[in-house]
Amino acid sequence: MTTLQLKNITKRYKTNPVLDNLSLDVADGETLVLFGPSGAGKTVLLRLVAGVIDPDEGQILIGGEDVSDIDAEYRGIGMAFQNFALFPHMSAFDNIASPLTATNATKDVISAGVLKVAKLLKIDHVLTHHPKALSNGQKQRTALARALAGSPPLLLLDDPLRNVDAKLRFEMRLELPRLLAAQGATVVYVTQDYKEAMALGDRIAVMSQGRIRQIGTPEDIYNTPADIEIARLFGDPTINLLDVTPKSGPDGVYVELSNVKVPLPGMPASVVGKTSVIGLRPETIVFTDAGASGAIPVTVEAETPLNEKTVTLVLTARGREILVSRPAGTPGPTSGPAHIAVHGNTTFLFDKESGGLIRSAAIPMTRNGEAA
Amino acid sequence: METTSTLEKTLRLIALTLVVIFFMFPIFWIFLMSFQTNETILAIPPSIIFTPTLSNYAALITGKLTTAAGTLDIAFMRNLGNSIFLSVTSVALALVLGVPAAYAFARHKFKGSEDIAFTLLSFRFAPPLLVLLPLTQYFQWLGLSDTYFGLIWVYQLICLPLILWIVRGYFEDISADVEYAYRIAGHSWFATFRKIALPLAGPGIAAAGLLAFIFAWNNFVFALVLASADKQPVTVGALAFVTSSGIQYGQIASAIVLSVTPTLALALYAQRYLVEGLSLGAVKG
Amino acid sequence: MSETALFIKGVDKFYGPIDHGVHAVKQLNMDVKKGEIIALLGSSGCGKTSTLRMIAGFEAVSRGTISMKGREVQTFAPVKRNVAMAFEGYSLYPPLTVRENIAFALKASRLSQSVVDEKVANIAKLLEIEDIMGRYPSSISGGQQQRASLGRALIRDADLHLLDEPMGQLEPQLRALLRGRIKHFIKERGLTAILVTHDQTEANALADRIAVMEGGVLQQFDTPQMIKERPANLFTGTFVGEPPMNVFSAGISGTSDTVSFGLNEGVKLDYKASDFSHAVRAELMKRSKVVLGIRPYAVRRSEGGVGAKVAVNQWLGDQTHIAADFAGGTMVLVEHDRTNLTIGETVAIRLDPSSLHVFDGDNGRAISHGQELA
């Protein structure tokens, strides 16, 4: 285990900054997920830490030590690549052994080390195969085994599950926390899949355009996204965003959706009259009866199942599209007119102009849509 | 559907046969000529029915050329030896110098690297005749003319740019991540070059080496001007068959057959690597 | 709705000589009704793309017949079949703008300019590409190209719309919305569509019926609900469903009142005989080895269940995925609330007989799916 600190890192290609004055602290034994769209600079950041490219400005400290003058091979890092980057002319065994052959270890020690990590990743039966003869899943596991073999204190995993199918990805998502915990390493994990980020990260750093936009626990990011963009990146289906202008009433601030009042408890009066965007996560919207309080009339457009959920696309009277999701197997309308209400959990109000989060508010309603 | 595909196959076969005949016929004809005397070769109409003779090959190997005007000494076997020596040494030197340079150009983009690489390539643009005269002068001053060393040096003009540019492409095709992975695993850059880059670019290096060998082997002008009789390769030596009493077609044909054989054998042997190398599939994990 | 739009009968596809080449599609029989959306679902190399290409006419049929509107079309050139296709590689015409690309599909229809303009505008709005209509394919993102390509296929008035991996490149934030809109668009116009996909979410979201393919063989052809609730075999059961179905091999024993499954590590699941119908029980008792399957969302935590040790607890915002060590394997639970279990804690889980799938231990064929569907 070790710590990792990045201080004011800038990296440019030609004149475009790929990383722009970026600072980051990763604690001892922590799994930090770098999450963001492609081109955000995640991979460049990992390569800087690994030492295969150098920053234009700034400092990288591993275990408190400045590593600017330390070459990649002496940094004590294990890394797994998105495209696996296996050595095609070497067997799986030799691939995994490569961090060990760099040491003065004897053949027996190397063999034992490779076998141990191969068993852990369930690939001990294919060690004699060359990468060409491995299935995609086995390649991915070999790449991971190679990263782990030298028991490095710092592990860099660059979207290691990107190129495997959904089923394998899911299995590895469940397996990785155990593997990483057993390894006891400090981990920086890059992904574009928000589910992976939430499942694996102790903290998530949301990156875009070479900067960290928000850093926090999965809970922080999901429940208090810093702005609209980040709110849109987490959640499947994506958060519903509707333009609103908050109004003030006797019970506090509210917004109107299809002429129905949706109260925003705890929202400061300063937002009244300000052009805003309300963010409603699909799972916080429920179907309800016409008579229920806060029921908004809608028309059901289409219903589609999604990972144990049912997602319904509805249109409000003004033609605004809203996605509603509910656990699969629970009842709900499939077509025609219906009513929705916002329940429990969290609703967000963003500033229309800057996109920044004004506040998240818990709307006190129960799951069946009745006011609590 | 089956009928059309059979027809398609037949047509394809015919087209391929025509192409093969077109390209192979001269070689086939030369092969026949090498077993004929000048009289049967020059007979009109030409015939492919003749009594084969080994006299052409015998003359080449013994170095005695019998013409109507008398007997001439020719140094064909020595020429052949020169060709082999010059080509092999030149390619070996070009590989030693060119492969590391190609790696540097592929992996390290430094200021002016493209310009240097392009300058090296531009050696191939200039017609050899243009540089020949000054080169001859320099070589005479330096005492390099008519030495193997001088010739091998000049042959680098042919081999080095070729190897540099072809091998550079192969190095660039190796995913940088594969090399990074080896570095991060704890190996030095030189170990990475030796254990990862070289083996992965191997087929490409072999292909480039073979091409350079063929170019060196076929070179004519440099050797014609810069080498005297005892250092001349076959390309220049073949001029000896144009004698005062006529052109010795039979001997020329057999000389061609003999001089083509080494490159042909090499190409056939290396074919597997060439196909692998040229199809760029060498580095996919 | 009952008119048959496409009828595939006994189709084989060989690459190379018939009976000796690579057998990509094996004895395929399928029917598609007018107005239906069909998904060909499978992993790469399962034969789904070959099938689509044979329907489109880009690939010759080695054996068997393909009929459209009652006519055999397998020898027809693609242009004669009146099908519209969206290609996986987008294949937009580079010298044309997105608008021209989409309008190009209507060239043959000889519609008036105003009608064409209106249709193109509708499609652009549907696919959220209004702002890039004047751009060239090389200057837009992969997801935008794919939407443009989809637009070019959907705008046509064809007998059959073939969509090859139509949404694979789409921006994740748009996927759920566009799936809903496209389904609505196809249904509203009564179009018949066949889509090829390896993404079961897409298949489930769009299709009326899904054809699950593997190894060139059609494994099951049924509605998404039936495939999920009554998978024909172990392959379909574990392939469709996200997260995948939990499976455990088990021995089987029983008395007149009970049915018991013996799993690894001595785990025993006892059920009342009345939990299974007579016919199912008779089938079960013929075997000594079966494979039990249960979907992650159907596993319940409840008092008096079998113990399982929590290994992973992952909260994904609107779902919690829990993995627990169970009978020498891993049991995955999906809960729709925020659950916070401690790693290492033992939870009691119950496998309700009504959600239990039982497959033959040898050939993987389904024996029972708990109780009859409601």
Side-chain angles (χ1 to χ4, degrees):
Chain A
M1 286 199 266
T2 186
T3 57
L4 170 70
Q5 283 164 284
L6 280 80
K7 290 184 177 169
N8 307 100
I9 295 287
T10 297
K11 176 74 187 171
R12 295 182 200 90
Y13 276 118
K14 305 258 163 69
T15 53
N16 297 335
V18 188
L19 294 176
D20 191 1
N21 195 22
L22 183 143
S23 297
L24 180 67
D25 269 359
V26 186
D28 203 8
E30 182 184 26
T31 298
L32 180 100
V33 172
L34 290 176
F35 171 84
S38 53
K42 309 182 295 291
T43 297
V44 174
L45 195 150
L46 284 199
R47 287 180 181 182
L48 287 172
V49 175
V52 290
I53 53 174
D54 295 319
D56 295 326
E57 284 160 40
Q59 243 186 337
I60 298 170
L61 288 85
I62 298 177
E65 187 191 357
D66 188 337
V67 293
S68 324
D69 295 325
I70 298 179
D71 282 340
E73 61 263 38
Y74 302 116
R75 290 195 184 182
I77 282 172
M79 182 159 174
F81 294 80
Q82 193 192 104
N83 54 14
F84 311 138
L86 294 175
F87 314 127
H89 57 307
M90 295 185 191
S91 66
F93 181 96
D94 289 335
N95 265 283
I96 298 169
S98 64
L100 301 169
T101 53
T103 63
N104 292 326
T106 63
K107 269 207 163 126
D108 291 345
V109 173
I110 293 176
S111 274
V114 171
L115 215 60
K116 190 176 144 226
V117 67
K119 276 218 174 94
L120 206 60
L121 281 155
K122 301 169 197 152
I123 43 169
D124 44 324
H125 57 297
V126 292
L127 286 176
T128 54
H129 294 14
H130 275 59
K132 219 188 283 180
L134 297 175
S135 73
N136 230 21
Q138 290 165 342
K139 279 185 202 169
Q140 191 267 324
R141 283 167 182 270
T142 307
L144 212 54
R146 186 177 64 185
L148 297 175
S151 303
L154 179 59
L155 260 179
L156 308 176
L157 306 179
D158 187 2
D159 217 343
L161 306 185
R162 185 80 188 279
N163 288 322
V164 297
D165 67 50
K167 201 169 153 190
L168 278 172
R169 193 153 60 225
F170 177 76
E171 283 169 8
M172 281 310 289
R173 201 171 82 206
L174 295 179
E175 212 175 310
L176 267 174
R178 283 186 263 190
L179 269 175
L180 297 178
Q183 196 77 12
T186 303
V187 182
V188 182
Y189 187 103
V190 162
T191 182
Q192 293 197 44
D193 178 346
Y194 88 89
K195 287 182 189 167
E196 248 172 77
M198 294 195 54
L200 300 176
D202 292 323
R203 283 189 305 154
I204 302 171
V206 184
M207 282 185 75
S208 82
Q209 293 169 348
R211 290 163 184 265
I212 292 178
R213 302 274 292 274
Q214 187 176 6
I215 185 162
T217 63
E219 192 147 17
D220 290 340
I221 309 262
Y222 198 78
N223 289 341
T224 25
D227 56 43
I228 290 184
E229 269 319 299
I230 294 170
R232 273 170 59 84
L233 291 174
F234 288 79
D236 186 20
T238 310
I239 190 166
N240 294 291
L241 296 164
L242 304 166
D243 289 353
V244 290
T245 309
K247 292 179 179 159
S248 178
D251 305 325
V253 178
Y254 67 93
V255 293
E256 278 185 345
L257 296 175
S258 292
N259 298 324
V260 176
K261 279 186 193 178
V262 176
L264 296 177
M267 199 64 72
S270 58
V271 300
V272 173
K274 205 166 173 182
T275 319
S276 314
V277 177
I278 189 171
L280 301 167
R281 295 219 181 265
E283 71 269 19
T284 65
I285 305 173
V286 290
F287 286 106
T288 184
D289 300 325
S293 77
I296 303 163
V298 291
T299 320
V300 175
E301 283 275 289
E303 186 189 78
T304 56
L306 174 80
N307 309 344
E308 309 305 345
K309 288 176 282 191
T310 304
V311 177
T312 316
L313 175 64
V314 299
L315 282 185
T316 66
R318 283 175 49 198
R320 300 210 275 202
E321 287 170 314
I322 295 177
L323 288 167
V324 181
S325 86
R326 63 177 198 271
T330 54
T334 52
S335 65
H339 288 80
I340 57 168
V342 181
H343 88 86
N345 297 355
T346 316
T347 295
F348 310 103
L349 197 69
F350 301 100
D351 186 83
K352 169 86 176 166
E353 206 176 311
S354 70
L357 178 71
I358 297 170
R359 202 176 164 137
S360 34
I363 295 177
M365 282 199 176
T366 56
R367 175 148 274 192
N368 60 20
E370 296 295 320
Chain B
M1 305 304 286
E2 273 312 290
T3 50
T4 52
S5 75
T6 316
L7 181 69
E8 202 180 299
K9 271 182 208 156
T10 319
L11 287 174
R12 218 178 269 169
L13 197 69
I14 292 171
L16 268 175
T17 313
L18 285 175
V19 171
V20 170
I21 288 174
F22 181 80
F23 283 107
M24 293 307 287
F25 186 76
I27 294 171
F28 173 71
W29 197 247
I30 282 170
F31 185 73
L32 289 185
M33 274 166 68
S34 73
F35 293 101
Q36 287 170 275
T37 58
N38 246 13
E39 290 74 54
T40 48
I41 291 169
L42 297 172
I44 295 173
S47 162
I48 55 163
I49 299 154
F50 57 89
T51 325
T53 165
L54 285 172
S55 63
N56 296 324
Y57 289 97
L60 289 179
I61 291 164
T62 56
K64 298 280 181 220
L65 184 56
T66 317
T67 69
T71 307
L72 279 171
D73 280 338
I74 50 162
F76 179 77
M77 292 316 281
R78 186 172 173 90
N79 294 149
L80 200 60
N82 283 338
S83 274
I84 293 172
F85 176 73
L86 286 172
S87 305
V88 168
T89 324
S90 302
V91 171
L93 182 66
L95 284 174
V96 169
L97 295 174
V99 171
Y103 185 68
F105 281 126
R107 282 288 176 253
H108 301 278
K109 304 286 176 213
F110 49 89
K111 209 174 156 109
S113 65
E114 278 307 310
D115 301 326
I116 297 174
F118 190 77
T119 309
L120 283 167
L121 181 68
S122 70
F123 293 164
R124 297 280 306 151
F125 299 164
L129 284 172
L130 199 74
V131 292
L132 213 52
L133 198 65
L135 209 59
T136 319
Q137 295 239 307
Y138 286 137
F139 268 44
Q140 268 161 8
W141 290 337
L142 294 169
L144 285 173
S145 69
D146 200 24
T147 60
Y148 284 124
F149 183 76
L151 277 174
I152 290 166
W153 190 339
V154 174
Y155 272 30
Q156 295 310 310
L157 284 179
I158 305 164
C159 299
L160 198 54
L162 204 68
I163 285 177
L164 191 73
W165 275 77
I166 296 178
V167 175
R168 178 191 175 181
Y170 284 100
F171 281 136
E172 278 171 350
D173 282 341
I174 301 173
S175 149
D177 282 350
V178 173
E179 288 183 30
Y180 289 160
Y182 204 65
R183 283 295 303 272
I184 293 166
H187 302 267
S188 67
W189 72 264
F190 188 67
T192 309
F193 173 65
R194 241 166 22 93
K195 294 283 177 65
I196 304 293
L198 274 189
L200 288 182
I205 294 172
L210 186 68
L211 273 179
F213 182 86
I214 291 168
F215 275 90
W217 185 274
N218 291 343
N219 181 265
F220 176 73
V221 271
F222 287 135
L224 176 72
V225 177
L226 295 173
S228 65
D230 66 328
K231 306 223 167 44
Q232 276 169 353
V234 282
T235 42
V236 181
L239 283 178
F241 300 113
V242 184
T243 66
S244 51
S245 57
I247 300 169
Q248 302 301 314
Y249 289 107
Q251 274 98 353
I252 291 180
S254 49
I256 288 173
V257 170
L258 282 181
S259 57
V260 161
T261 308
T263 30
L264 195 66
L266 199 63
L268 284 177
Y269 170 74
Q271 196 183 31
R272 195 162 57 91
Y273 302 100
L274 274 178
V275 171
E276 207 180 318
L278 295 172
S279 62
L280 304 181
V283 290
K284 282 195 182 144
Chain C
M1 278 300 278
S2 58
E3 191 189 331
T4 303
L6 176 74
F7 190 57
I8 297 174
K9 197 177 159 207
V11 162
D12 275 302
K13 176 66 195 173
F14 290 93
Y15 290 100
I18 289 185
D19 289 332
H20 299 287
V22 179
H23 205 172
V25 177
K26 296 172 188 165
Q27 279 298 308
L28 179 67
N29 293 301
M30 256 174 89
D31 64 291
V32 179
K33 292 183 189 67
K34 193 171 182 316
E36 246 189 333
I37 306 177
I38 300 294
L40 300 176
L41 176 68
S43 45
S44 61
C46 74
K48 59 188 194 296
T49 303
S50 298
T51 304
L52 193 77
R53 294 178 66 85
M54 285 192 287
I55 297 169
F58 299 133
E59 206 74 77
V61 174
S62 303
R63 205 183 279 137
T65 60
I66 295 179
S67 313
M68 288 172 65
K69 290 182 170 173
R71 275 195 314 175
E72 286 190 13
V73 297
Q74 69 268 18
T75 53
F76 287 20
V79 67
K80 295 247 179 83
R81 302 190 188 192
N82 194 23
V83 296
M85 183 151 171
F87 294 88
E88 189 184 0
Y90 332 129
S91 67
L92 295 170
Y93 309 119
L96 303 185
T97 61
V98 171
R99 174 177 288 108
E100 289 162 347
N101 260 290
I102 294 173
F104 192 86
L106 296 175
K107 269 249 159 87
S109 63
R110 297 201 181 80
L111 294 168
S112 76
Q113 190 60 43
S114 61
V115 175
V116 169
D117 286 347
E118 194 196 323
K119 281 186 171 237
V120 172
N122 280 339
I123 284 280
K125 188 153 177 266
L126 179 88
L127 298 170
E128 300 266 335
I129 47 174
E130 286 161 299
D131 50 334
I132 54 160
M133 291 303 275
R135 309 258 298 265
Y136 289 93
S138 57
S139 71
I140 57 179
S141 73
Q144 290 169 329
Q145 288 187 40
Q146 192 157 40
R147 279 183 274 157
S149 176
L150 200 54
R152 197 176 56 180
L154 287 178
I155 201 169
R156 274 189 55 192
D157 189 23
D159 291 336
L160 197 55
H161 285 78
L162 306 177
L163 314 173
D164 192 1
E165 302 277 2
M167 299 167 99
Q169 298 292 319
L170 284 197
E171 300 76 357
Q173 285 77 36
L174 268 175
R175 259 181 225 165
L177 185 64
L178 286 193
R179 274 185 201 126
R181 282 194 196 167
I182 289 168
K183 185 171 183 178
H184 186 72
F185 179 91
I186 294 175
K187 285 288 162 200
E188 199 178 56
R189 283 161 182 73
L191 306 179
T192 311
I194 300 178
L195 69 131
V196 156
T197 181
H198 69 276
D199 178 0
Q200 51 172 300
T201 309
E202 199 170 298
N204 273 320
L206 290 169
D208 297 313
R209 284 191 293 162
I210 299 175
V212 181
M213 292 185 77
E214 171 68 11
V217 178
L218 183 63
Q219 303 286 330
Q220 190 167 3
F221 185 33
D222 218 326
T223 61
Q225 193 194 6
M226 288 296 275
I227 283 182
K228 196 170 163 197
E229 293 177 1
R230 321 202 78 188
N233 54 36
L234 195 54
F235 175 82
T236 319
T238 52
F239 184 75
V240 181
E242 227 180 318
M245 180 189 273
N246 296 297
V247 288
F248 296 90
S249 12
I252 194 163
S253 61
T255 65
S256 57
D257 298 329
T258 63
V259 176
S260 296
F261 297 101
L263 279 64
N264 287 343
E265 297 191 341
V267 175
K268 211 157 176 239
L269 299 172
D270 298 314
Y271 294 99
K272 289 199 290 278
S274 58
D275 288 335
F276 301 90
S277 73
H278 269 290
V280 166
R281 214 160 65 227
E283 279 297 312
L284 289 176
M285 289 310 156
K286 280 187 208 157
R287 294 166 172 84
S288 58
K289 271 272 167 218
V290 292
V291 176
L292 294 182
I294 186 158
R295 301 228 174 252
Y297 68 93
V299 185
R300 304 259 179 271
R301 286 189 289 137
S302 91
E303 298 279 317
V306 188
K309 205 171 114 196
V310 176
V312 178
N313 184 102
Q314 298 177 338
W315 177 65
L316 304 176
D318 60 342
Q319 283 183 343
T320 307
H321 291 182
I322 298 153
D325 297 328
F326 178 80
T330 301
M331 179 71 83
V332 177
L333 292 78
V334 171
E335 301 188 352
H336 288 277
D337 294 304
R338 175 95 203 240
T339 312
N340 258 325
L341 299 175
T342 318
I343 307 300
E345 110 179 63
T346 300
V347 291
I349 56 173
R350 200 162 53 85
L351 308 181
D352 204 8
S354 66
S355 17
L356 204 61
H357 302 267
V358 187
F359 302 96
D360 187 291
D362 298 318
N363 59 25
R365 264 187 226 128
I367 302 167
S368 81
H369 302 288
Q371 286 168 347
E372 291 298 316
L373 289 179

